[in-house]
Amino acid sequence: MKPDDLVVVRPEGLYCPHGDFHIDPWRGVPRAVITHAHADHARGGSQHYWAAARGHALLRERLGKQAQITPLAYGETVRFGAVTVSLHSAGHILGSAQVRIAHDDGRVWGVSGDFKRDRDPSCDAFEPFACDTWITEATFALPIYRWTDTREVAAEIFDWWQAAKRDGQSAVLFCYSLGKAQRVLAELTAFTDETVYVHGAMPGLIKAYRAAGIRMLPTEAVSNIPKGTSFAGKLVLAPPGASGTPWMKRMHPYSTGFASGWMRVRGGKRRLAYDRGFVLSDHADWDSLLATIDDTGARRVLVTHGHGDALIAHLTARGIEASMLATQFEGEGGAAADGEAEAVDSAAAD
C-alpha cells in the first residue's frame, strides 16, 4: 500500500481514509458500504449501511429490521469527505455492486466485490467503469477456470433431474442459498414449470428475489410437506451444509448433485461425495477477470483472496502494476467467497 491510497486495510476491513468509511467490514464500524448480502460481506454491528437498492430486501434479511440502511440506485452518488461514491452492478447476485470512489483530485478507484460477467437471468448484468486503480477478487484466477454457457449447465441439471425421476429418486441439488439457488430456479424456467422443493434456509431469500421481479420456478418449502411424503421424481434444492444430515432422510432414495465453480477441478465431485457435479459459478472466470481489467483501463491492480499469485504474475508480465491486498479471508480456499459460509450457517434452518 501507498501513503495516500484511497483504500487501505484496517483491522475492521477495507477502509477509505479520505471518506472515512469501510467497505464490507468484518467488524462493526460507523459507516459501511456493502457490496452484497452474502454473509462474508454483510455483517451486523455497524451504525449505518449504504448498499444497492436492488439488494435492499436481501440485506434486510441478513442484517435485521433495526439496521440503518440507505439504499442507492446503481449510478447514484453520495459524498463522503473528499470522495464521491457510487455503486455499479457487479452481476454476482441480486443487488450486488462494485464500488466506484472518485477523489476530488481526479483519482478514481474501483472495488469489485464479488462479480461475474456471464449471463444470469436472476440479477442485473455487470457494468464496467474506468478507474486508475482496481481492487479485484481472484476466487477463480487460474486459466483452468473457464465457464461453460449457463444455459448448457441448466440443461445438464434438468436432464439429471429427469433421469432421477425415471429411476424413482429425488434429485437433491446442493447449492448456496443466496444467489446460486435463485439462479438455478430462473434458468430452469426454460425447461419446465414444475414446482421445486427447497430447504428451510431458502424461502425468505427466494421471496426477496420474486419481489424484485425475478422470474423463477414455483417453490415449496420441504418443511411444509407432511412427514412421510415421498419426494421421488422431485427436484430439491438445499445448502451444502445439509449434506449428510438427518434432513436428508426425507429425500431417500435420492441422487445428489452440487452446483459450483469448484466442480471444474477434476476429482472435485468424488472429493465432495456427490453423484453429479455441475460447473456453475457466480464469480468471474479467468477470461472475465482479464477482460474486466482491460475494460477498467487500470494501470494498478490490487488482488484480494483466491488465486492471486497467478493473476499478479500475468498482469506484471503485461506491464500492469499488481500486488496482493491481504484481507481476513486469505487462505480459506475461496469457500467463504463463494457463499459457502452463508450456506453452512443456515443449514440447520429446516
Side-chain angles (χ1 to χ4, degrees):
M1 304 302 294
K2 301 176 181 179
D4 202 37
D5 280 345
L6 296 191
V7 177
V8 299
V9 177
R10 290 280 182 85
E12 301 82 7
L14 296 182
Y15 176 67
C16 176
H18 297 268
D20 189 25
F21 66 90
H22 288 77
I23 300 171
D24 294 347
W26 43 77
R27 301 178 187 172
V29 297
R31 300 196 290 189
V33 174
I34 303 300
T35 62
H36 65 285
H38 273 147
D40 54 323
H41 292 258
R43 294 174 179 78
S46 292
Q47 295 176 24
H48 201 122
Y49 299 87
W50 285 260
R54 285 283 280 168
H56 187 220
L58 292 172
L59 206 56
R60 280 275 174 228
E61 188 83 11
R62 171 68 60 203
L63 299 176
K65 295 180 180 179
Q66 302 306 313
Q68 298 297 309
I69 304 172
T70 297
L72 299 174
Y74 287 134
E76 181 180 354
T77 60
V78 60
R79 286 287 295 181
F80 292 115
V83 300
T84 299
V85 174
S86 57
L87 302 179
H88 303 262
S89 179
H92 176 57
I93 63 172
L94 180 66
S96 60
Q98 311 159 73
V99 183
R100 183 180 185 272
I101 305 170
H103 195 281
D104 291 344
D105 65 11
R107 288 179 293 160
V108 178
W109 281 46
V111 181
S112 74
D114 291 338
F115 77 99
K116 71 173 182 295
R117 303 294 296 265
D118 296 342
R119 169 192 169 277
D120 182 348
S122 69
C123 68
D124 299 292
F126 180 90
E127 176 193 351
F129 60 83
C131 59
D132 308 304
T133 298
W134 175 244
I135 299 177
T136 184
E137 65 142 306
T139 307
F140 291 104
L142 288 174
I144 60 171
Y145 292 115
R146 289 184 166 96
W147 309 141
T148 304
D149 188 291
T150 306
R151 286 165 289 200
E152 295 180 27
V153 181
E156 294 174 1
I157 292 172
F158 181 74
D159 290 345
W160 162 71
W161 173 12
Q162 300 312 299
K165 183 181 296 187
R166 290 191 294 271
D167 292 339
Q169 299 177 314
S170 62
V172 183
L173 181 65
F174 294 101
C175 52
Y176 306 131
S177 298
L178 175 52
K180 195 68 60 65
Q182 294 78 15
R183 188 179 183 188
V184 169
L185 291 169
E187 290 286 0
L188 288 177
T189 59
F191 302 93
T192 182
D193 59 1
E194 190 172 341
T195 296
V196 175
Y197 295 85
V198 300
H199 185 276
M202 298 179 178
L205 301 170
I206 292 170
K207 181 179 179 181
Y209 269 68
R210 294 197 195 282
I214 305 302
R215 179 172 174 260
M216 297 175 287
L217 290 181
T219 55
E220 185 68 59
V222 169
S223 57
N224 292 339
I225 307 303
K227 299 290 186 181
T229 301
S230 172
F231 287 91
K234 307 300 183 182
L235 177 64
V236 182
L237 304 186
S243 179
T245 69
W247 182 84
M248 286 295 295
K249 293 179 180 178
R250 296 194 65 182
M251 305 300 123
H252 189 78
Y254 52 77
S255 176
T256 59
F258 184 40
S260 172
W262 303 115
M263 292 294 96
R264 174 62 73 198
V265 179
R266 187 178 301 276
K269 177 172 65 71
R270 292 190 298 273
R271 183 177 67 253
L272 294 170
Y274 298 109
D275 298 319
R276 286 289 304 274
F278 301 99
V279 181
L280 185 63
S281 177
D282 289 332
H283 292 262
D285 65 3
W286 175 255
D287 291 333
S288 292
L289 286 166
L290 298 182
T292 301
I293 292 166
D294 288 342
D295 287 344
T296 67
R299 300 311 303 165
R300 183 185 179 200
V301 176
L302 302 176
V303 181
T304 64
H305 66 73
H307 299 283
D309 291 344
L311 183 58
I312 289 167
H314 181 87
L315 295 176
T316 300
R318 290 176 49 188
I320 295 174
E321 181 184 350
S323 59
M324 286 298 301
L325 183 63
T327 69
Q328 176 174 310
F329 295 98
E330 298 307 323
E332 292 191 4
D338 205 16
E340 182 147 8
E342 176 271 330
V344 172
D345 286 346
S346 60
D350 198 31

